[in-house]
Amino acid sequence: MNESGRVEAFSDGVFAIAITLLILDVKKPLTTTGQSLAHQLAHQWPEYDAYVVSFLVIGIMWANHHQVFSLVARVDRVLLFLNLMLLMGVSALPWATSVVSSYLNQPDGAQLAVALYGGFMVAHALTFQALWWWLTRTGHLFDARVDEVGAKATRTRFALGTVVYPILMGLSFVNALVTLALHGVVAIYYAFNQLRVPTKADAEPAEPGEVAPAE
């Protein structure tokens, strides 16, 4: 067993590098094209769209990852490798973002580019679900605050992305731009509706005369 702090610190570094790499794909306007700055800035809208969506996605991935690992006291070898698989998808997302920004305004490539992006999101959802399944399998990796039975009961809600992202992959071939926007909407949904890890304090009945805390 190893303490989870080192794993989270390494993960934070990968998230930080991935989210920083996104801006490097947004090129500065050229001064030798003969076009006005306003025209060039407007022409780069696919880069802005892809950057904003991916920044939201990676940022909220990091927030959810931090929320989970804040209640992990120990890690074993399986959890280490599941976390590495998760980070492999995170570190590759800037590449998928670059593909989207290059083809979003191209009629012959936009749909496939956004579907490819959706494929990375499917992979992330599956690896995060596998990580959560392993953590809740016995609960022995959690710290003492976690309600192990309650945590196991959240498996279905943690798997929401494994349903939503394949649907978005299919929608990519209907309207690529709308689908990319929906990826951003899903990210915002996860930002405001994060699934809280159940703790034993939540499960404790209120003392006589006390009001139980609201959900």
Side-chain angles (χ1 to χ4, degrees):
M1 294 293 184
N2 300 301
E3 293 301 322
S4 65
R6 185 178 179 188
V7 175
E8 189 173 5
F10 175 76
S11 302
D12 285 349
V14 174
F15 277 107
I17 292 170
I19 208 168
T20 303
L21 288 175
L22 294 175
I23 194 60
L24 298 181
D25 195 54
V26 181
K27 305 297 189 297
K28 67 177 182 180
L30 300 176
T31 59
T32 58
T33 62
Q35 298 174 332
S36 68
L37 176 60
H39 180 274
Q40 292 187 67
L41 289 173
H43 184 70
Q44 290 182 260
W45 66 266
E47 297 177 15
Y48 310 146
D49 287 2
Y51 169 75
V52 170
V53 171
S54 288
F55 190 96
L56 288 172
V57 167
I58 294 178
I60 293 163
M61 282 181 185
W62 169 79
N64 290 335
H65 184 275
H66 171 72
Q67 181 184 26
V68 169
F69 271 83
S70 66
L71 292 172
V72 174
R74 297 164 294 278
V75 297
D76 59 12
R77 193 169 182 81
V78 174
L79 184 61
L80 280 174
F81 281 104
L82 287 174
N83 191 63
L84 282 175
M85 292 294 294
L86 186 77
L87 296 179
M88 182 171 68
V90 171
S91 62
L93 199 58
W95 176 81
T97 303
S98 179
V99 173
V100 170
S101 65
S102 298
Y103 286 92
L104 191 58
N105 61 349
Q106 304 296 324
D108 59 344
Q111 295 176 339
L112 182 57
V114 177
L116 175 68
Y117 187 92
F120 276 88
M121 298 309 300
V122 171
H124 175 79
L126 289 173
T127 52
F128 197 93
Q129 175 65 8
L131 184 147
W132 184 244
W133 181 90
W134 183 257
L135 280 171
T136 57
R137 186 178 65 95
T138 63
H140 69 286
L141 299 178
F142 286 125
D143 71 19
R145 293 173 292 169
V146 176
D147 176 8
E148 297 169 5
V149 175
K152 183 175 289 190
T154 64
R155 283 179 171 181
T156 301
R157 287 187 62 196
F158 259 91
L160 179 63
T162 60
V163 176
V164 173
Y165 290 125
I167 293 174
L168 291 182
M169 282 189 69
L171 288 177
S172 301
F173 295 99
V174 178
N175 190 308
L177 183 58
V178 170
T179 303
L180 181 64
L182 288 175
H183 277 289
V185 170
V186 172
I188 293 172
Y189 167 79
Y190 279 125
F192 289 95
N193 190 34
Q194 291 184 2
L195 183 56
R196 188 163 54 90
V197 179
T199 62
K200 292 175 181 176
D202 300 327
E204 291 177 356
E207 294 293 332
E210 292 183 354
V211 178
E215 292 292 332

